[in-house]
Amino acid sequence: QVQLVESGGGLVQAGGSLRLSCAASGRTLSNYVMGWFRQAPGKEREFVASMPWSGGRTYYADSVKGRFTISRDNAKNTVYLQMNSLKPEDTAVYYCAVRTTGGNEYGSWGQGTQVTVSS
């Protein structure tokens, strides 16, 4: 089981930036895909971005392409989500999650971190 702890959320004005972190422990991550999701009040959880821990193609939701960047630091066992040009509609609780490279479902989730973008 992989344990995930997010941090870095907060309150920011529209147009600003935040960097979320997700520290992972419990397993070697080389065979995992790291993902970021978000859930706004009254809405379903939605995919934001993902990348294989071992490197390779990254994926982004259309709503964040060109503004958000997912990356990782192998030495720190941490995945990041750099969020630029934030909009009020980016307000949500952001979660990181992992799945195996061959799997379809994300099996381990963090507790989430709140991001609030004011207009």
Side-chain angles (χ1 to χ4, degrees):
Q1 189 81 0
V2 178
Q3 289 80 44
L4 303 168
V5 179
E6 302 99 332
S7 61
L11 173 65
V12 64
Q13 288 187 334
S17 298
L18 281 174
R19 189 179 76 159
L20 305 183
S21 301
C22 175
S25 62
R27 289 280 180 93
T28 300
L29 298 173
S30 57
N31 295 323
Y32 285 84
V33 172
M34 311 299 294
W36 284 99
F37 294 77
R38 67 186 182 186
Q39 187 167 20
K43 295 187 177 181
E44 293 188 352
R45 185 169 59 196
E46 64 175 358
F47 169 80
V48 175
S50 69
M51 69 176 295
W53 182 263
S54 58
R57 185 175 177 178
T58 55
Y59 294 87
Y60 296 93
D62 288 343
S63 58
V64 307
K65 278 181 183 176
R67 300 188 298 122
F68 291 11
T69 303
I70 187 171
S71 63
R72 83 232 187 272
D73 184 326
N74 288 339
K76 295 183 179 180
N77 243 29
T78 298
V79 64
Y80 302 100
L81 185 68
Q82 178 66 45
M83 307 186 295
N84 299 328
S85 301
L86 283 161
K87 305 175 181 180
E89 51 264 43
D90 294 318
T91 295
V93 178
Y94 284 72
Y95 300 90
C96 68
V98 298
R99 62 171 175 85
T100 59
T101 53
N104 295 321
E105 293 189 6
Y106 286 82
S108 295
W109 294 80
Q111 83 287 353
T113 186
Q114 176 71 47
V115 171
T116 303
V117 184
S118 63
S119 57

